[in-house]
Amino acid sequence: MQNFEPHPYQQRGIRWILEHPSAGLFLPMGSGKTVTTLTALGILMHDTFEVSRVLIIGPKRVIETTWPDEIQKWQQTRTLRYSIISGTSANRAAAVRRDAEVYLIGKENTQWLIDNFGDGWKWDMIVIDELSTFKNPQSKRFKALRTVMPSVKRFVGLTGTPTPKGIPDLWAQIYLMDRGERLGRTLTQFRQRYLKPEQMCGYTVYKWKVQPGAEKAIQDRIGDICMSIDSAEYASLPDLQVIDLPVNLGADLKKYRDFKRQLVLEVGEDQQVLAANAGVLCGKLLQYTSGQIYTEDQQTATLHGHKLEALVDLMDAANHEPVLIFYWFKHERDRILKKLHDRGFIGLPGETKDAFRRWNDRELDFLLLQPSSAGHGLNLQAGGHIAVWYSLPNWNLELYQQANARLYRQGQKEKVVIYHLLAKYTVDESMLAALGSKSDVQQSMLEALRR
């Protein structure tokens, strides 16, 4: 059990929660948002007696492991009585009825909780970990939560990536804080004030873009309830180096280009892969660059080994330093495992029992992670300092940033190196450029909030 001694930026975060009934903490990943929030909750419950029951909503893995671990870890928070709402419907109901101060529930069960216990709502404060997972105003969990917000006295939204796909993501998140006071009481009002159509078909808008000057106006509107900091303000992290490693497809590049143009790829005798539309084509091209592709009957066809050989070279160069490998498709995981095991490397996929413990104990040469299932709340910095993106996360900035933060966070003792394996002249390069542009939009907003 440790005594929590907050850094100056964490002290500001605690004060921000205490002084703002609705508070957004847009803090960098790995900056200690969990313990900062728990410390503020302890004060609100045991010192000022402003709240009695807190509901914390977040990703399932984080709710079941990270938050309980943090509560028990610190001297200041260990007295908080908590209940984890998970498992079967009967188990969840029993956890809700349990006498506790802090209730933890996965975001996927938000609607269930409100459908079954909304009439007797007993929580006077809500905390959402990874607030950006509520960015879709059409989602069932957002609509359900919206109905109980008038009964909630205090709200805290935590995220390091408030605008993973740009400013249009903000409305629903800010609405949960102020019920529309700052950015409009409806999504339509928000769009009319700050956005304009970019892609349309008839009267249907498929994509919105920000009106000139709107980004600054939004920053000014939400700056009184949302707090952010510069990475230089929080506890010093080691250097970070990001390296793009080009992979030459050789003669397979012509086949790639033919597939992109014709939407048909021959993968064997009387067997083809078809791309019915642009969305399908993008996914198929991403598979092509990795070297395997799903066929129409969900089998896999091997196309080449260029990227796989580049990964082996990286593993050899690491000289038995542990390497965290991010993949996107299941066939990539299976192929990488076989190849590296055949070369004598010891490694596991993240879903294997004890994989994370063995990684942090430095028993593995490599650990395979799928970003969408292991992006939040995992502390893997003790196990290594090298990461490789075998495939990028399908245009998703939030998954990309969250995955990198598994190593580049407080507690990391060594320089972090992140490699991108990029097939030259392919969708790999386009995807990395797109992630960079989305990051720029988000960064400008966070910098404005810091000011």
Side-chain angles (χ1 to χ4, degrees):
M1 191 178 303
Q2 303 177 36
N3 187 49
F4 174 52
E5 298 180 1
H7 298 289
Y9 76 91
Q10 291 172 320
Q11 294 173 356
R12 287 205 292 125
I14 294 168
R15 290 197 303 271
W16 192 266
I17 294 174
L18 298 178
E19 295 170 0
H20 295 79
S22 291
L25 263 63
F26 295 173
L27 302 184
M29 292 166 287
S31 60
K33 294 188 289 292
T34 305
V35 65
T36 297
T37 304
L38 285 172
T39 302
L41 296 187
I43 296 171
L44 290 170
M45 287 182 166
H46 300 157
D47 294 348
T48 63
F49 306 105
E50 293 181 54
V51 296
S52 57
R53 294 188 182 93
V54 179
L55 179 68
I56 301 178
I57 305 170
K60 182 176 183 293
R61 185 192 299 271
V62 177
I63 287 298
E64 294 180 356
T65 58
T66 303
W67 281 87
D69 288 350
E70 289 288 299
I71 290 173
Q72 298 170 54
K73 178 179 180 180
W74 304 104
Q75 181 73 29
Q76 293 94 325
T77 61
R78 66 183 179 87
T79 58
L80 292 173
R81 293 177 290 111
Y82 66 91
S83 178
I84 303 174
I85 305 171
S86 65
T88 65
S89 180
N91 289 340
R92 295 197 300 268
V96 170
R97 297 187 180 99
R98 193 170 296 131
D99 183 27
E101 296 170 312
V102 177
Y103 295 78
L104 303 158
I105 189 168
K107 62 182 186 295
E108 67 279 355
N109 285 321
T110 303
Q111 183 185 8
W112 170 88
L113 179 69
I114 294 168
D115 287 347
N116 289 275
F117 297 93
D119 290 341
W121 191 259
K122 64 180 183 179
W123 295 276
D124 44 13
M125 182 172 181
I126 290 178
V127 176
I128 298 184
D129 192 357
E130 300 307 335
L131 179 63
S132 58
T133 60
F134 280 75
K135 65 181 181 292
N136 181 5
Q138 304 304 322
S139 67
K140 293 180 180 179
R141 60 173 170 258
F142 171 83
K143 292 179 179 179
L145 193 58
R146 180 175 181 171
T147 64
V148 299
M149 288 309 297
S151 303
V152 177
K153 292 194 302 185
R154 281 184 168 270
F155 178 90
V156 176
L158 307 173
T159 183
T161 53
T163 57
K165 293 186 178 179
I167 290 297
D169 284 344
L170 268 181
W171 179 79
Q173 300 174 67
I174 302 301
Y175 180 91
L176 292 175
M177 294 185 201
D178 67 0
R179 280 178 267 168
E181 178 183 339
R182 286 163 181 80
L183 299 185
R185 299 195 179 277
T186 66
L187 180 60
T188 299
Q189 288 180 353
F190 172 70
R191 287 170 171 170
Q192 289 174 342
R193 292 177 185 174
Y194 303 110
L195 308 178
K196 60 182 179 180
E198 183 175 11
Q199 294 180 5
M200 298 181 63
C201 181
Y203 292 103
T204 303
V205 180
Y206 291 100
K207 186 176 181 181
W208 297 86
K209 64 180 179 179
V210 182
Q211 295 182 23
E215 190 171 333
K216 175 64 165 56
I218 290 172
Q219 294 161 0
D220 292 341
R221 291 288 292 168
I222 68 175
D224 64 322
I225 58 172
C226 297
M227 167 191 162
S228 187
I229 62 173
D230 193 301
S231 59
E233 288 186 73
Y234 65 90
S236 60
L237 290 174
D239 291 337
L240 171 67
Q241 184 177 13
V242 179
I243 301 174
D244 298 338
L245 287 181
V247 176
N248 194 334
L249 296 186
D252 292 297
L253 181 59
K254 182 181 184 305
K255 296 178 183 178
Y256 170 95
R257 287 172 170 166
D258 290 342
F259 181 32
K260 182 179 180 181
R261 184 177 65 255
Q262 300 170 4
L263 309 184
V264 178
L265 177 66
E266 302 289 342
V267 294
E269 292 185 3
D270 301 321
Q271 193 172 23
Q272 296 177 326
V273 173
L274 304 176
N277 53 54
V280 173
L281 177 63
C282 182
K284 295 295 185 183
L285 292 176
L286 188 61
Q287 293 178 59
Y288 190 107
T289 66
S290 78
Q292 278 192 330
I293 195 168
Y294 286 119
T295 60
E296 302 303 310
D297 57 359
Q298 287 304 298
Q299 300 300 308
T300 55
T302 300
L303 305 175
H304 61 79
H306 304 296
K307 192 176 280 192
L308 194 59
E309 292 301 324
L311 177 62
V312 171
D313 291 343
L314 267 179
M315 291 295 299
D316 289 335
N319 196 25
H320 293 288
E321 281 286 331
V323 177
L324 185 60
I325 303 171
F326 299 115
Y327 68 92
W328 189 248
F329 300 102
K330 183 180 177 181
H331 60 67
E332 294 175 331
R333 179 200 66 188
D334 297 340
R335 196 181 187 204
I336 292 169
L337 274 173
K338 184 178 186 309
K339 183 72 171 181
L340 296 186
H341 284 167
D342 288 347
R343 293 293 295 262
F345 294 105
I346 300 172
L348 293 171
E351 60 269 25
T352 304
K353 183 180 180 180
D354 287 336
F356 298 141
R357 179 195 62 77
R358 293 187 63 187
W359 165 266
N360 280 326
D361 289 345
R362 289 186 171 256
E363 297 177 7
L364 304 177
D365 295 317
F366 69 93
L367 177 68
L368 279 162
L369 281 184
Q370 214 286 350
S372 59
S373 62
H376 297 298
L378 290 177
N379 296 313
L380 301 178
Q381 67 272 26
H385 63 102
I386 301 172
V388 177
W389 284 93
Y390 190 83
S391 288
L392 291 168
N394 206 22
W395 312 97
N396 193 311
L397 174 64
E398 182 179 20
L399 291 183
Y400 174 77
Q401 292 181 329
Q402 290 284 357
N404 288 339
R406 298 316 98 210
L407 298 185
Y408 188 62
R409 61 196 296 115
Q410 285 187 34
Q412 177 59 257
K413 306 297 184 184
E414 301 178 76
K415 178 179 180 178
V416 176
V417 183
I418 297 174
Y419 294 92
H420 302 132
L421 293 181
L422 303 175
K424 294 177 64 175
Y425 313 117
T426 71
V427 66
D428 285 0
E429 294 177 332
S430 301
M431 190 174 295
L432 185 61
L435 291 174
S437 64
K438 290 177 182 177
S439 180
D440 290 342
V441 172
Q442 179 166 276
Q443 193 62 29
S444 65
M445 191 200 71
L446 294 178
E447 288 173 357
L449 292 179
R450 286 193 285 268
R451 290 193 297 269

